[in-house]
């Protein structure tokens, strides 16, 4: 299983960014795809998740209404559209698979390499 995350960068407060996570070597039929983020000294935290088959979505309270997770079956890619970015959204964002809906990193199965998002104030 390989997950390739991309799309991070530097953006100003209030701006937008779209992250992508390309999957390979994985049968997505009933997997869950998730985005987590981590800043130095803090635990990796759940940001958003989507059930591949049904498209059911879940979000952390801190990003509800600002972030949107989606998937493209033809491209085997999961996206995280981030809008109205805040300084506290800064961190390294990771995509990860799981066998069920998860709220912590402990429930994830496979991880991508991470992509850095920096929101300047």
């Amino acid at each position: 299983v390989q997950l390739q995350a991309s799309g991070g960068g530097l953006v100003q407060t209030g701006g937008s960014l779209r992250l992508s996570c390309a999957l390979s070597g994985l049968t997505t039929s009933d997997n869950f795809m998730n985005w987590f983020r981590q800043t130095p000294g803090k635990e990796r935290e759940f940001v958003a998740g989507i059930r591949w088959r049904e498209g059911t979505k879940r979000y952390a309270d801190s990003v509800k209404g600002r972030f949107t997770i989606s998937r493209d079956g033809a491209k085997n890619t999961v996206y995280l559209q981030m809008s109205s970015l805040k300084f506290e959204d800064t961190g390294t964002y990771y995509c990860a698979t799981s066998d069920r809906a998860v709220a912590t990193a402990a429930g994830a199965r496979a991880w991508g390499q991470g992509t850095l998002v920096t929101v300047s104030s």
Side-chain angles (χ1 to χ4, degrees):
V1 175
Q2 283 194 321
L3 294 84
Q4 184 72 35
S6 61
L10 175 64
V11 63
Q12 290 187 332
T13 300
S16 298
L17 211 56
R18 188 178 79 158
L19 306 182
S20 300
C21 177
L23 294 78
S24 60
L26 175 68
T27 301
T28 56
S29 58
D30 200 24
N31 282 285
F32 292 74
M33 291 302 304
N34 309 279
W35 285 98
F36 290 80
R37 67 186 179 192
Q38 188 170 25
T39 53
K42 292 188 176 181
E43 292 187 355
R44 199 167 291 189
E45 65 172 350
F46 173 80
V47 175
I50 186 168
R51 188 171 187 175
W52 191 271
R53 184 171 62 190
E54 299 175 346
T56 308
K57 304 174 184 181
R58 296 168 54 245
Y59 298 94
D61 288 343
S62 59
V63 306
K64 278 181 183 175
R66 301 188 300 119
F67 290 12
T68 302
I69 189 170
S70 62
R71 81 233 189 277
D72 184 331
K75 296 182 178 179
N76 253 18
T77 299
V78 176
Y79 302 98
L80 185 68
Q81 178 67 47
M82 306 185 294
S83 303
S84 301
L85 282 161
K86 304 176 181 179
F87 176 74
E88 50 265 39
D89 293 319
T90 295
T92 299
Y93 283 70
Y94 299 87
C95 55
T97 67
S98 61
D99 297 328
R100 54 183 174 81
V102 296
T104 67
R109 181 201 272 181
W111 294 88
Q113 84 288 5
T115 185
L116 179 63
V117 172
T118 303
V119 184
S120 63
S121 57

